[in-house]
Amino acid sequence: MSIKTRMSVIACCLVAGFLVLTAVPAYIYISSELKRQISSEQFALARYMAAHFDDNVDMAREKIAKCAAALNPAEVNDPAGLREFLEFEQELQTFFDQGMYVIRLDGTLVAATSRDAALRKISPDEIDLLVRGKAVSNACASPHGPIPCLTVAAPIRDRSGSLVAVLAGRLDVTKKHFLGELTALKVGSDGYAYVIDSRRTLIMHTDRIRILETLHVGANEGIEKALHGFEGTVENTNASGVRGLTSFKRLSSAGWILAVHLPLQEAYDSLYRVRFYFGIMLAAAMFCSAMVVWFVMGRVVAPLLSLTRHVRDMAEKNGADRLVRVDTPDEIGDLARAFNGMVRKIEQQRGELERAKDFHLLLFEEFPTLIWRMGLDGRCNYLNRTWFEFTGRRSAEALGDGWLEDIHPDDRPEVEHCFAKAFAARSAYVMEYRLLHRNGEFRWIEDNGRPFNDLDGNFAGYIGFSLDITERMRAVEALRESERFARSTVDALSSHIAILDATGTIVAVNKAWREFVLANPPLSNNVNEGANYLAVCDAAVGEDAETAQSFAQGIRNVLEGKAAVFSREYSCHSPEEKCWFVGRVTRFSGDGPPLVVVAHENVTVRKLAEEELARSREELVAKHKELKSAFLQVAQGKKEWELTLDCIGDLVIMADAAGRVRRCNRAVTELARKPVDELIGRPWPEVVILPEVETDSYANGGGEIHHRETNRWFLLTSYPFTGTGTEKGAVITLHDVTEAKRSALELEQANTELKETQSQMLQREKMASIGQLAAGVAHEINNPMGFITSNLGTLRKYGDKLLEFMAFIAEKAESHLDLRKEIEAERRRLKIDYVADDLENLITESLEGAERVRKIVADLKSFSRVDEAEYKVVDLTECLDSTINIVWNELKYKATLKKEYGELPPLRCYPQQLNQVFMNLLVNAAHAIETQGEITVRTRSKEGWVSIAIEDNGCGIPDDVMARIFEPFFTTKEVGRGTGLGLSISYDIVKKHGGEITVTSEQGKGTTFVVRLPSCAAGQG
């Protein structure tokens, strides 16, 4: 990077830093102000919407107060009069669309206009709130499910001003004049508003499905703050995980909280645009500043750039052209003048360097050693005159790679490899090879080379010299030949001979010594060449310590001249036999440092002959000792064998031919919890087949047994044996296979779960396909059934008109006797009276059939629930009825269906899955009835649980089958009628909903399946 560029970059960085330090605080201030303004505007919108709702509630209070003022207090005790009065207020009934009612102070309902209100008793807490003018929120029933309602009230006072009753009106807050417009209100493009009460229940939401949904505690941090009194706007994450700007405003009239939520990306869109334009302006300012700095710096450093260009082109200039022509009064001018002085001095030194170079080249040429040089390409570019005189070659023949031709063919590959390796590593080397002399003889050369650098310190090649070492190599070879002769002579001796230096280190050994060491591997590192023999002797321990240390002292005495010879006889064990040796130490005669010769002679044959006589005398004593030792060894062997069996984990029992225990190890006594004395003589099955041991897979003296108390599995195996004579018996072993058994059970369980999961997936796909088909069939049937129902209604009207016309004709014919008789005759011939009576019955039956088809189609669509696979709140009674209608064709010919429904709360679940459970249980109940029977369906709600019982009086379930009815693929039905998956899938679905399924059955009397589900199952499944 040029100095101009560096200075420009530094100046630009300083300017950019100044601009950033100025712009960042400004941006932070503008950003905070914009955020505050955006939050204020959004909160103003929430405040406006809350005020609008409160105004509507105040209007509702005014309406109900006017009605209460117009009510005669004396009519409080006249329910019929009150009901007539309330029914007369049509305008109020339209406004309070969920009913109006009068209640006494004790909560008793006096009169009402709404069916739902008539069934409800008002709690004292709600009465207290209504009396104090507070609105009460609750849920109202509607054809489409529960809806959020608001109740307002006005007091009814007697003439003395005492409160005698309360007039209350309930209205649906989802209507447009209250909160209904919230569902269509769009805040920005992706924002929305919603209302939530103190119980975290959504009163109104743009997504109508979520209305009356209860949020979990902590699902929305902003709502938690609002419930604790916060009003305003915060950055918040909603229950769906969308980060946004949320404004909260409490409704004074109902105690609800109105919230407006706008995603952050949209809320801060203006801020993001400001940031974008601000960045563009800052970048533009930085660019302009950089251009100005670049122009100014170009003018400032122009003389310096001229100087640098001159220096760069110096190599192409000569003489006066090498001087710089920059003459400015500043520091650059001083630098140019100093540079010119340096150039003049360099020119002077260059001339002196050329003269020195010529002198050194002359010196190299006259040097009596072979000198060479190689360039960067690894080829020789210089050889001195001595080299050419040695080889007899000319310069053109030897330079480059020609000198390699004079190297002995056997040495050339090694020379090339050594030089290539050193050249790649840039390292010095020394090597020896044979070079062809001018007289035709190959002479030994010691070649020394090292890398050298040029004047700039860069690697320039290799330089080296070569010495003729032929005479030295011949002397070395003669010495080696003499050494080989001496070594072969020593190796021919049978004694083990080693030569030690003054420190006791072994410097040479003969063949017999080496063979002895190889035959004794532990000695290979201790008494081989290079080892310190004295140190080995000094370190000896045991019975040989005294002999070794004595031998070491004898070696030291000979080395120090205290004794001329040392000798000692000793024994030495080899891997095959016991040997005896005589060791001798003598001083080595010759010049140089003191050496000793250590010789070990094998005298085993002589020693054995001497000991043979002594051995024969001691033979009797030895036999006696051997016999005694044999008895001790038998006893010791028996003891060691018993200890060995006690140490193993397997149970081992030795039994006689009658199966009685003769011996056993410790593991048997620990399992039986009895000492060995009590087990000896008992039949071995009584020892291991204990009451707490399961023997299901045990047979014929072998197999697996399970010890329940320790949960251990054993593999029992019996091995018969035949002893000396007629003695027979068996060895029984129990090997612990607990871990293997557990691994096998785990693999079996994993395989079962995998099969079950696969079957469930297939069944779910099958049910989904059936649901799609059912929905399509229902849609196709609905269209023609609409025509049929409509036409039957029209036909009934036409029939009524025809009958009316016939009655009119009969009435007009009363005054004409002949005409009346003809009409009567024709009436009797055509059986008009029968047709008229039967026509009404036929149309009624047809309409009932059409309605039956419509209901079946509706139940079929409800059962299939193609669009309702989600987790939602449903009425279980409705689910049961739709499922019964679907399977009614399977039930009606075999059973009478009896329904005993209790009051059930709404349940959050997967309705399609529960329909499948009810269908499986109902179809199984029908299959259990052989001819004609009864199926009872009961529902109850108790202590937070919903129970559904399906009872039949069929054949019942056998006890041996009861334990397996929920296993996948288990079925007692004939092939082609059942897959064995119905109850297994039903069990998994109920467990998935956090419930349980139980069954009680008695053969010949019937079976009852009970499904229990938690009524507070929201969030489960």
Side-chain angles (χ1 to χ4, degrees):
M1 183 183 294
S2 65
I3 187 170
K4 174 185 175 182
T5 304
R6 288 199 295 270
M7 293 177 66
S8 300
V9 169
I10 293 172
C12 290
C13 290
L14 292 174
V15 173
F18 173 76
L19 291 175
V20 170
L21 291 176
T22 306
V24 168
Y27 171 74
I28 293 174
Y29 173 76
I30 294 172
S31 175
S32 61
E33 287 299 313
L34 280 175
K35 285 186 178 180
R36 185 182 60 78
Q37 183 178 355
I38 292 169
S39 300
S40 300
E41 291 177 356
Q42 184 167 312
F43 182 66
L45 174 62
R47 195 164 49 220
Y48 167 77
M49 296 170 63
H52 175 67
F53 177 81
D54 290 337
D55 291 343
N56 287 336
V57 174
D58 292 339
M59 180 181 66
R61 287 199 184 98
E62 291 178 2
K63 289 180 178 291
I64 201 71
K66 288 180 180 179
C67 183
L71 185 65
N72 185 1
E75 294 181 351
V76 172
N77 297 322
D78 181 12
L82 281 176
R83 189 176 300 107
E84 182 179 355
F85 175 80
L86 294 177
E87 296 291 343
F88 179 74
E89 297 291 336
Q90 293 297 322
E91 180 182 354
L92 286 180
Q93 288 190 41
T94 302
F95 188 80
F96 295 102
D97 52 1
Q98 295 301 312
M100 298 172 59
Y101 49 90
V102 177
I103 51 175
R104 293 192 180 93
L105 299 183
D106 61 355
T108 304
L109 191 66
V110 179
T113 62
S114 171
R115 175 179 61 86
D116 294 337
L119 299 176
R120 187 171 179 268
K121 181 176 177 63
I122 308 302
S123 68
D125 293 338
E126 291 189 14
I127 293 175
D128 182 61
L129 290 173
L130 294 173
V131 169
R132 290 192 285 114
K134 297 291 184 180
V136 177
S137 61
N138 43 38
C140 302
S142 74
H144 304 291
I147 58 175
C149 296
L150 190 70
T151 304
V152 296
I156 302 175
R157 302 181 184 276
D158 57 13
R159 298 181 183 277
S160 62
S162 300
L163 183 65
V164 295
V166 174
L167 174 62
R170 289 196 303 177
L171 51 89
D172 179 3
V173 297
T174 63
K175 300 299 182 181
K176 185 173 182 181
H177 58 279
F178 272 88
L179 295 176
E181 64 268 18
L182 284 180
T183 59
L185 178 64
K186 296 294 289 186
V187 181
S189 59
D190 295 322
Y192 57 91
Y194 59 92
V195 178
I196 191 168
D197 65 6
S198 59
R199 297 186 297 271
R200 297 180 179 82
T201 301
L202 288 172
I203 304 302
M204 184 54 62
H205 198 280
T206 54
D207 185 1
R208 286 187 172 272
I209 296 178
R210 298 190 62 186
I211 294 177
L212 293 181
E213 177 185 334
T214 300
L215 299 181
H216 296 295
V217 177
N220 190 312
E221 296 180 0
I223 290 177
E224 298 300 323
K225 293 176 64 176
L227 291 175
H228 287 82
F230 171 77
E231 285 191 354
T233 304
V234 294
E235 291 185 5
N236 179 43
T237 303
N238 62 13
S240 301
V242 178
R243 188 73 176 169
L245 200 64
T246 309
S247 299
F248 296 96
K249 181 69 177 80
R250 186 174 293 275
L251 303 178
S252 59
S253 58
W256 296 344
I257 296 172
L258 185 141
V260 178
H261 184 84
L262 188 64
L264 278 182
Q265 186 66 33
E266 184 177 352
Y268 291 157
D269 181 62
S270 59
L271 177 60
Y272 297 152
R273 288 199 300 272
V274 168
R275 183 169 62 189
F276 175 73
Y277 294 130
F278 200 86
I280 292 177
M281 293 172 61
L282 183 60
M286 289 183 177
F287 178 76
C288 293
S289 302
M291 292 297 101
V292 173
V293 170
W294 180 263
F295 177 75
V296 173
M297 288 299 170
R299 299 295 300 273
V300 172
V301 302
L304 185 60
L305 294 177
S306 176
L307 176 61
T308 56
R309 284 194 297 271
H310 182 84
V311 174
R312 185 176 62 245
D313 300 335
M314 279 284 291
E316 302 174 1
K317 300 180 184 294
N318 295 305
D321 292 338
R322 297 169 66 86
L323 301 179
V324 180
R325 291 178 176 79
V326 175
D327 190 13
T328 57
D330 54 11
E331 290 82 355
I332 298 177
D334 295 338
L335 178 62
R337 287 186 287 273
F339 178 78
N340 289 335
M342 183 179 64
V343 169
R344 294 188 184 96
K345 189 173 181 180
I346 290 174
E347 290 292 335
Q348 181 182 355
Q349 291 176 349
R350 177 181 291 178
E352 296 176 355
L353 184 62
E354 289 294 333
R355 290 192 296 273
K357 178 180 179 183
D358 293 339
F359 171 75
H360 285 96
L361 284 176
L362 180 60
L363 184 63
F364 283 166
E365 289 294 323
E366 298 298 331
F367 206 75
T369 304
L370 284 67
I371 297 177
W372 53 266
R373 184 182 64 205
M374 292 187 180
L376 292 174
D377 56 358
R379 303 181 68 193
C380 182
N381 55 22
Y382 173 76
L383 294 169
N384 69 345
R385 187 168 57 195
T386 307
W387 183 287
F388 295 121
E389 292 175 353
F390 182 88
T391 60
R393 284 184 175 269
R394 293 188 297 272
S395 175
E397 296 175 342
L399 291 178
D401 293 332
W403 68 277
L404 293 172
E405 300 296 331
D406 293 333
I407 297 176
H408 194 282
D410 295 341
D411 299 339
R412 182 169 176 175
E414 181 63 26
V415 170
E416 292 177 345
H417 173 72
C418 179
F419 179 75
K421 182 178 178 182
F423 192 89
R426 304 290 192 267
S427 62
Y429 69 88
V430 177
M431 59 181 170
E432 297 175 354
Y433 58 87
R434 286 167 288 181
L435 187 66
L436 183 64
H437 194 263
R438 65 175 179 270
N439 62 7
E441 175 189 3
F442 281 101
R443 300 184 68 82
W444 281 97
I445 297 296
E446 182 185 274
D447 198 1
N448 296 266
R450 58 171 297 167
F452 72 94
N453 299 331
D454 58 15
L455 297 177
D456 296 328
N458 299 320
F459 173 70
Y462 266 76
I463 188 169
F465 64 92
S466 301
L467 299 176
D468 186 351
I469 60 170
T470 304
E471 298 303 325
R472 186 181 72 185
M473 294 295 291
R474 289 173 179 171
V476 171
E477 183 62 27
L479 182 61
R480 288 175 179 169
E481 183 63 28
S482 174
E483 182 181 354
R484 283 194 292 269
F485 174 76
R487 181 175 293 277
S488 61
T489 302
V490 175
D491 286 344
L493 300 176
S494 61
S495 298
H496 307 157
I497 299 174
I499 300 175
L500 278 60
D501 61 12
T503 64
T505 302
I506 301 175
V507 296
V509 296
N510 71 339
K511 181 179 179 181
W513 184 289
R514 284 193 294 271
E515 290 176 350
F516 180 78
V517 170
L518 290 175
N520 297 272
L523 302 176
S524 59
N525 294 326
N526 294 335
V527 293
N528 219 331
E529 292 177 332
N532 193 298
Y533 193 74
L534 289 177
V536 173
C537 293
D538 291 336
V541 294
E543 59 183 8
D544 296 331
E546 190 275 331
T547 301
Q549 292 168 5
S550 173
F551 208 81
Q553 186 59 42
I555 294 174
R556 289 190 180 95
N557 291 337
V558 174
L559 282 171
E560 296 172 0
K562 296 179 181 180
V565 177
F566 172 79
S567 177
R568 175 163 181 162
E569 182 181 306
Y570 62 92
S571 61
C572 180
H573 295 281
S574 68
E576 295 83 8
E577 59 182 348
K578 189 174 182 181
C579 301
W580 284 264
F581 291 87
V582 172
R584 293 184 179 86
V585 181
T586 58
R587 189 179 182 86
F588 185 81
S589 59
D591 299 332
L595 299 173
V596 295
V597 178
V598 178
H600 296 274
E601 182 182 357
N602 193 331
V603 294
T604 304
V605 176
R606 186 193 71 189
K607 195 68 177 178
L608 290 176
E610 292 175 354
E611 291 183 352
E612 184 65 28
L613 181 59
R615 187 182 301 111
S616 61
R617 288 197 301 267
E618 298 174 357
E619 186 174 351
L620 290 176
V621 177
K623 291 292 184 182
H624 176 72
K625 290 181 179 180
E626 287 177 3
L627 185 60
K628 182 178 180 181
S629 176
F631 283 119
L632 291 176
Q633 288 178 2
V634 170
Q636 183 66 21
K638 175 184 176 184
K639 184 177 181 181
E640 291 175 353
W641 181 245
E642 291 176 348
L643 289 174
T644 301
L645 289 179
D646 288 342
C647 291
I648 64 175
D650 290 356
L651 284 70
V652 181
I653 299 174
M654 180 179 180
D656 57 16
R660 291 186 296 271
V661 177
R662 292 179 57 186
R663 296 186 184 279
C664 64
N665 65 345
R666 183 184 302 167
V668 177
T669 62
E670 292 175 352
L671 181 69
R673 297 178 182 174
K674 292 182 180 179
V676 177
D677 296 341
E678 296 185 16
L679 299 179
I680 300 300
R682 295 180 59 185
W684 69 262
E686 296 180 5
V687 176
V688 295
I689 310 300
L690 304 174
E692 64 270 18
V693 171
E694 298 176 359
T695 59
D696 295 341
S697 59
Y698 169 79
N700 299 325
E704 288 185 351
I705 63 173
H706 180 221
H707 193 260
R708 288 191 299 270
E709 185 173 339
T710 60
N711 196 25
R712 295 169 65 190
W713 289 85
F714 296 95
L715 178 63
L716 191 150
T717 309
S718 178
Y719 303 94
F721 73 88
T722 302
T724 59
T726 59
E727 184 179 7
K728 295 183 179 180
V731 175
I732 298 93
T733 62
L734 283 82
H735 178 61
D736 192 336
V737 294
T738 304
E739 291 299 325
K741 191 73 176 179
R742 288 175 181 169
S743 299
L745 292 175
E746 289 175 358
L747 287 173
E748 183 178 354
Q749 181 179 0
N751 186 38
T752 302
E753 291 176 356
L754 184 61
K755 288 183 178 178
E756 184 177 349
T757 302
Q758 183 181 10
S759 65
Q760 291 178 7
M761 291 176 65
L762 292 173
Q763 186 68 7
R764 287 170 185 166
E765 292 179 2
K766 174 183 174 184
M767 291 301 295
S769 300
I770 293 174
Q772 292 282 355
L773 179 62
V777 171
H779 177 72
E780 294 299 326
I781 293 176
N782 256 341
N783 293 333
M785 286 309 302
F787 306 149
I788 294 172
T789 304
S790 176
N791 292 341
L792 286 173
T794 304
L795 180 62
R796 169 173 278 178
K797 293 179 182 179
Y798 290 172
D800 292 339
K801 290 180 179 181
L802 287 175
L803 292 175
E804 184 179 353
F805 178 73
M806 290 170 58
F808 174 77
I809 292 175
E811 182 180 352
K812 294 300 182 180
E814 286 292 332
S815 58
H816 300 82
L817 183 60
D818 295 334
L819 180 60
R820 186 182 69 181
K821 289 182 179 179
E822 290 179 6
I823 291 174
E824 289 293 330
E826 192 66 19
R827 187 185 187 102
R828 285 193 298 272
R829 187 181 71 81
L830 297 177
K831 300 180 181 180
I832 296 299
D833 291 335
Y834 174 79
V835 170
D837 293 335
D838 197 40
L839 180 63
E840 178 63 20
N841 293 334
L842 290 176
I843 293 175
T844 300
E845 290 176 359
S846 298
L847 286 172
E848 289 176 354
E851 177 63 21
R852 171 66 177 162
V853 172
R854 186 197 65 77
K855 192 171 186 307
I856 290 174
V857 169
D859 290 338
L860 189 60
K861 289 181 66 178
S862 174
F863 179 81
S864 65
R865 298 183 187 268
V866 175
D867 57 344
E868 294 182 5
E870 72 274 17
Y871 194 63
K872 60 184 294 182
V873 177
V874 298
D875 184 356
L876 274 186
T877 303
E878 179 184 344
C879 293
L880 277 168
D881 287 337
S882 66
T883 305
I884 289 172
N885 285 336
I886 294 300
V887 302
W888 179 243
N889 192 60
E890 186 80 14
L891 306 179
K892 63 183 179 181
Y893 299 111
K894 301 187 70 175
T896 301
L897 185 66
K898 186 177 179 183
K899 299 180 181 179
E900 295 179 2
Y901 291 166
E903 189 71 19
L904 299 181
L907 184 70
R908 185 177 293 276
C909 64
Y910 291 99
Q912 186 179 11
Q913 296 183 6
L914 289 183
N915 285 348
Q916 183 179 354
V917 173
F918 301 147
M919 183 181 71
N920 289 338
L921 297 180
L922 288 168
V923 170
N924 284 349
H927 289 172
I929 298 173
E930 296 179 356
T931 54
Q932 189 67 26
E934 180 178 279
I935 298 175
T936 304
V937 180
R938 301 188 187 90
T939 61
R940 297 288 186 272
S941 177
K942 184 178 180 182
E943 297 178 354
W945 287 84
V946 173
S947 63
I948 304 95
I950 298 178
E951 179 182 358
D952 65 78
N953 59 354
C955 61
I957 302 175
D959 293 338
D960 58 339
V961 175
M962 182 77 74
R964 302 185 61 192
I965 59 174
F966 293 112
E967 293 181 7
F969 307 108
F970 177 77
T971 179
T972 58
K973 300 175 183 178
E974 58 268 28
V975 177
R977 194 177 182 190
T979 63
L981 292 173
L983 287 179
S984 173
I985 293 175
S986 300
Y987 182 87
D988 289 340
I989 292 174
V990 173
K991 287 295 182 182
K992 178 179 178 182
H993 283 75
E996 61 182 14
I997 180 169
T998 59
V999 56
T1000 57
S1001 180
E1002 186 175 353
Q1003 281 192 273
K1005 292 188 177 181
T1007 303
T1008 302
F1009 282 89
V1010 179
V1011 177
R1012 297 181 74 242
L1013 300 169
S1015 60
C1016 53
Q1020 297 180 1

